[in-house]
Amino acid sequence: MITWQGLHEPRLEQVRLLLSNDQRLRATGRLVAAGPEEQFNASFEVSVGESGQVNRLLLRTATVLEERQCSLSRTEDGAWLVDHGQGSKRETFNGALDVDVQFAVLFNAIPIRRLGLHREASEHTLPVVRVSLPDLSVRAVTHTYKTVSVGDDVSVVRFKSGGFDQNIKVDANGLVVDYPLISKRI
């Protein structure tokens, strides 16, 4: 179990993780946001295969006014099936292998682990499927990850997306320890 606390907004993310020696990862988690402008809870289940690519993501959100759900499944031919409860829609998302869920720092670990950025210096610009919370809108975005430093216990990876740019500290498993301005592991 890993828990992250929001730094500037009252938010908690708690995740139960199952990691393997290869890139596989299974996680179930919950986010609770209690800020003046964002009040919602979200739950998710994500499955990452041995190649480090997201296979499936299930998300549910609840606000005072409504509940929503969304599933994303990656097909064998690399397309995504997106279902908001009214049937699946096929999308390519520019060949994205990764998913980023707004406010959920766990999802930064998936490309970091797949690319080994916490073990060896490199830089990658990637198409990513971005899911916004709490409305569960889905779109393609571009993220850049660059290793800043590699350490035995903590490595630093620079994350860029749009105008956002931040150094993320990760542990030996590639999991976020400190994401300045966003969240910190507690």
Side-chain angles (χ1 to χ4, degrees):
M1 294 288 279
I2 298 177
T3 304
W4 291 276
Q5 180 176 1
L7 296 176
H8 294 288
E9 294 291 332
R11 184 181 321 118
L12 283 177
E13 174 183 357
Q14 187 170 61
V15 178
R16 179 179 182 264
L17 279 170
L18 299 170
L19 298 175
S20 67
N21 291 333
D22 55 20
Q23 303 303 317
R24 284 181 287 185
L25 174 147
R26 286 182 42 122
T28 57
R30 176 168 297 279
L31 276 127
V32 176
E37 295 183 28
E38 57 180 49
Q39 296 180 6
F40 66 88
N41 71 58
S43 62
F44 61 84
E45 296 176 29
V46 63
S47 175
V48 175
E50 64 186 54
S51 62
Q53 302 171 3
V54 173
N55 293 329
R56 184 166 172 82
L57 171 65
L58 302 171
L59 274 163
R60 288 184 179 85
T61 62
T63 64
V64 169
L65 300 175
E66 65 186 348
E67 295 180 4
R68 294 178 183 233
Q69 65 181 14
C70 177
S71 72
L72 290 98
S73 299
R74 198 159 181 282
T75 64
E76 288 183 20
D77 66 353
W80 291 88
L81 299 177
V82 180
D83 188 347
H84 285 95
Q86 289 128 0
S88 295
K89 183 177 179 185
R90 189 177 170 90
E91 299 281 353
T92 62
F93 294 119
N94 302 323
L97 304 176
D98 303 302
V99 175
D100 181 27
V101 175
Q102 184 181 12
F103 306 122
V105 298
L106 168 72
F107 290 87
N108 289 101
I110 295 170
I112 290 171
R113 287 173 47 82
R114 178 171 54 79
L115 300 167
L117 296 167
H118 58 300
R119 294 188 181 119
E120 186 176 304
S122 63
E123 181 175 358
H124 300 271
T125 299
L126 312 166
V128 175
V129 180
R130 169 85 165 168
V131 183
S132 297
L133 294 180
D135 70 343
L136 300 181
S137 61
V138 181
R139 64 186 172 101
V141 297
T142 301
H143 289 176
T144 299
Y145 291 89
K146 179 181 180 181
T147 307
V148 174
S149 66
V150 176
D152 291 335
D153 297 325
V154 176
S155 298
V156 179
V157 176
R158 190 161 203 66
F159 170 76
K160 293 181 185 180
S161 182
F164 185 78
D165 187 353
Q166 192 60 254
N167 285 344
I168 301 171
K169 293 180 183 175
V170 297
D171 65 15
N173 289 312
L175 301 171
V176 175
V177 175
D178 184 21
Y179 194 150
L181 303 177
I182 305 296
S183 224
K184 184 172 185 145
R185 192 185 303 179
I186 55 174

